[in-house]
Amino acid sequence: MPFQEKSKTSSYHYQMMNEMNFYNLPEECISTIFALTTPLDVCRCSPISFSVRSAADSNIAWEKFLPSDYQNILSTSVTPIQDFSSKKELYFHLCDSILIDEGRKNFWLERSTGKKCYMLSARELSIPWGHDSLHWCWKFIPQSRFSEVVELRTISWLEIGGKINARMLSPKTTYVAYLVFKIADRAYGLDSVPSETLVEVGNQASTSTTYLRRQNSQKQNLEQVYFTNWIQVPKSRVTDGNAKVPQDRKDGWMEIELGEFFINNGDEGEVKMSLMEIKGSHLKGGLILEGIEVRPKAE
C-alpha cells in the first residue's frame, strides 16, 4: 500500500477511535465539553445519538451559554419570568427578547452565540427639545416593542444620543450600533444634508455620515434642490457619495449604522452613540424614532 494511502487509512481509524471514545464518555463529561463550544455547535451535534442529545440538553452546557449576570437581568424584566424546566428552555426564551428597566430597554441573546443584545428605547435617549410638543410628539404605535416612540414634527437642530455601560455587553465582542426608525409619509428635509454619526468608547471612535432617507424619488430630489438653494450650502456637503443609507429590517422598521466598537473586558466605561444634523439650518420632520440597537457584528 502506498504511504499516502496508508496514512489516510490510519488517520481515518484514528478519527473513528476518537469518536468512539467520545461517545463512551460519561454524559457529564460530554456536557462539559459542549459548554466550551457555542449554542449553534451543540444544536448541530444533538441529533448524533441519544446520549449526545441528552448531554446537549443538560443544564451544565446551557448554564455556560447564559450571561453571568442573567439573574440580575431577569430581575429587571417588566413581565415576571416563569420558572423554566431547563436552562436550555430559559436560553431560547431570552433569544426572543424581554423588556427590562421599566420598559425602557429591550434585551435578548443572539441565538447562535449567546452574545448579549440591547435596544435603548427613545425614552432612554438624549434628544434636545424632546419634551417640547412643538418639535417632538410622543405616541404609541402597535408596530413598536415599546409603549412609546417619538416623532419629529419640525426642527432645524437634530441631535439624538444614547449611551450604555460596556459591562452590560458581552466581552471579547465587536458590536455595531444602529438607529432604528420609520419615515412618515409627510417627512421632509431629512435627506437634504447628510447627518454625522459617532460611536466612542474608551480610546475608540467611529465616525461616518448618513442620510436618514433614501434619495430615490422625484419628490426627494425636488426637496433637496429647494433646501439646498434655501440654505446655500456647498454642493460637497449636500451630496456625499460615501454616506450610508437606511436598510430595511424584518420587523418593518429601518436602521442606519451609527458605528462599531470592540468590547474587551467590559472595563471601557460608557459607550456613547449619536447622530447629528446641525449644520443645515433648514427645517426637517417626519422621523419616527424607536431607539438605538446594539448587537454583535455579523460575521
Side-chain angles (χ1 to χ4, degrees), residues 76-114:
T76 65
S77 174
V78 171
T79 304
I81 302 298
Q82 65 185 49
D83 291 331
F84 289 92
S85 61
S86 68
K87 291 297 190 293
K88 180 181 179 180
E89 187 179 357
L90 173 59
Y91 177 90
F92 284 107
H93 175 77
L94 293 179
C95 289
D96 292 332
S97 84
I98 58 173
L99 285 174
I100 62 172
D101 293 347
E102 300 179 340
R104 297 171 71 96
K105 297 186 186 76
N106 194 229
F107 168 83
W108 69 99
L109 298 177
E110 187 178 56
R111 189 174 295 267
S112 61
T113 65

Side-chain angles (χ1 to χ4, degrees), residues 38-39 65-67 91 94-95 107-118 168-175 262-264 294-297 299:
T38 68
F65 299 146
L66 290 168
Y91 177 90
L94 293 179
C95 289
F107 168 83
W108 69 99
L109 298 177
E110 187 178 56
R111 189 174 295 267
S112 61
T113 65
K115 302 284 189 181
K116 293 193 279 187
C117 309
Y118 287 89
M168 296 173 62
L169 302 172
S170 299
K172 310 297 182 185
T173 302
T174 299
Y175 277 92
F262 180 74
I263 296 298
N264 188 21
V294 178
R295 65 178 188 261
K297 183 178 181 179
E299 296 182 357

Side-chain angles (χ1 to χ4, degrees), residues 53-285:
R53 183 181 302 110
S54 180
D57 290 341
S58 76
N59 285 339
I60 294 176
W62 291 96
E63 177 85 30
K64 291 289 187 180
F65 299 146
L66 290 168
S68 59
D69 60 345
Y70 78 90
Q71 293 284 9
N72 292 333
I73 294 171
L74 293 178
S75 70
T76 65
S77 174
V78 171
T79 304
I81 302 298
Q82 65 185 49
D83 291 331
F84 289 92
S85 61
S86 68
K87 291 297 190 293
K88 180 181 179 180
E89 187 179 357
L90 173 59
Y91 177 90
F92 284 107
H93 175 77
L94 293 179
C95 289
D96 292 332
S97 84
I98 58 173
L99 285 174
I100 62 172
D101 293 347
E102 300 179 340
R104 297 171 71 96
K105 297 186 186 76
N106 194 229
F107 168 83
W108 69 99
L109 298 177
E110 187 178 56
R111 189 174 295 267
S112 61
T113 65
K115 302 284 189 181
K116 293 193 279 187
C117 309
Y118 287 89
M119 180 182 283
L120 311 180
S121 70
R123 280 292 186 190
E124 191 75 1
L125 305 180
S126 171
I127 306 173
W129 301 287
H131 297 287
D132 188 336
S133 60
L134 293 176
H135 298 298
W136 295 88
C137 173
W138 293 90
K139 61 184 181 180
F140 166 79
I141 62 173
Q143 297 89 348
S144 177
R145 69 198 75 192
F146 300 112
S147 60
E148 284 182 303
V149 299
V150 65
E151 180 175 351
L152 175 62
R153 285 179 167 170
T154 185
I155 207 166
S156 59
W157 183 294
L158 177 61
E159 184 176 355
I160 301 167
K163 57 186 179 181
I164 187 171
N165 195 297
R167 293 191 182 279
M168 296 173 62
L169 302 172
S170 299
K172 310 297 182 185
T173 302
T174 299
Y175 277 92
V176 184
Y178 298 88
L179 191 77
V180 181
F181 61 97
K182 286 179 178 286
I183 300 296
D185 293 337
R186 58 188 177 278
Y188 58 93
L190 296 176
D191 62 347
S192 303
V193 177
S195 300
E196 299 175 359
T197 64
L198 170 65
V199 174
E200 54 183 345
V201 55
N203 59 1
Q204 305 174 60
S206 174
T207 61
S208 185
T209 55
T210 180
Y211 287 104
L212 287 171
R213 191 175 174 191
R214 298 190 187 100
Q215 298 175 299
N216 60 358
S217 70
Q218 183 178 6
K219 176 183 177 182
Q220 288 169 288
N221 291 335
L222 291 174
E223 185 179 286
Q224 180 183 358
V225 171
Y226 170 79
F227 283 113
T228 301
N229 291 335
W230 183 62
I231 61 180
Q232 295 182 341
V233 295
K235 183 177 180 181
S236 60
R237 260 183 52 195
V238 176
T239 305
D240 185 349
N242 296 319
K244 296 173 182 175
V245 295
Q247 301 297 320
D248 293 327
R249 293 162 54 100
K250 293 180 180 179
D251 59 6
W253 292 80
M254 292 189 292
E255 66 181 22
I256 194 76
E257 182 181 323
L258 300 178
E260 68 177 64
F261 57 95
F262 180 74
I263 296 298
N264 188 21
N265 296 316
D267 55 0
E268 291 86 355
E270 283 188 330
V271 181
K272 299 178 181 179
M273 307 156 285
S274 65
L275 177 141
M276 292 190 296
E277 201 291 273
I278 60 177
K279 296 180 179 179
S281 301
H282 65 284
L283 294 177
K284 37 200 164 277

Side-chain angles (χ1 to χ4, degrees), residues 27-28 30-31 34 42 45-47 49-62 88:
E27 181 180 311
E28 185 175 343
I30 299 177
S31 298
F34 279 152
V42 172
C45 292
S46 180
S49 70
F50 176 80
S51 60
V52 172
R53 183 181 302 110
S54 180
D57 290 341
S58 76
N59 285 339
I60 294 176
W62 291 96
K88 180 181 179 180

